[in-house]
């Protein structure tokens, strides 16, 4: 429990830093064998990790899907 940061990068330079305070414990789910929500995988991208958290009242605090960066 505590703070969660969502940092965005362009190449090696951080372009933004969003902070959520008083974040509850979260769950990290590997997206292997279609474990992630269908509406995410139907985009044609393959998700890598699904991160979720709920507050003390059961409301969604974090719902983040991460994708592996493509290599060129």
């Amino acid at each position: 429990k505590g703070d969660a940061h969502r940092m965005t990068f362009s190449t090696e330079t951080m372009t933004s830093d969003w902070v959520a305070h008083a974040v509850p414990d979260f769950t990290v789910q590997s997206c292997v064998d279609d474990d992630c929500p269908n509406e995410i995988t139907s985009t044609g991208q393959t998700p890598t990790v699904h991160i979720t958290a709920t507050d003390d009242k059961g409301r969604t605090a974090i719902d983040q899907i991460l994708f592996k960066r493509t290599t060129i």
Side-chain angles (χ1 to χ4, degrees):
K1 295 185 178 188
D3 291 347
H5 291 256
R6 181 178 182 262
M7 296 173 273
T8 305
F9 290 84
S10 177
T11 312
E12 295 179 4
T13 306
M14 186 170 64
T15 57
S16 69
D17 183 12
W18 173 85
V19 181
H21 301 285
V23 176
D25 289 338
F26 58 90
T27 302
V28 177
Q29 173 187 5
S30 174
C31 296
V32 178
D33 300 326
D34 297 326
D35 286 340
C36 286
N38 289 333
E39 64 271 12
I40 300 301
T41 57
S42 66
T43 64
Q45 293 178 294
T46 303
T48 305
V49 175
H50 187 193
I51 301 170
T52 56
T54 54
D55 65 13
D56 294 338
K57 295 179 182 176
R59 299 176 294 196
T60 300
I62 295 174
D63 190 359
Q64 182 81 37
I65 302 287
L66 302 177
F67 295 87
K68 181 178 179 180
R69 177 175 285 185
T70 58
T71 55
I72 297 175

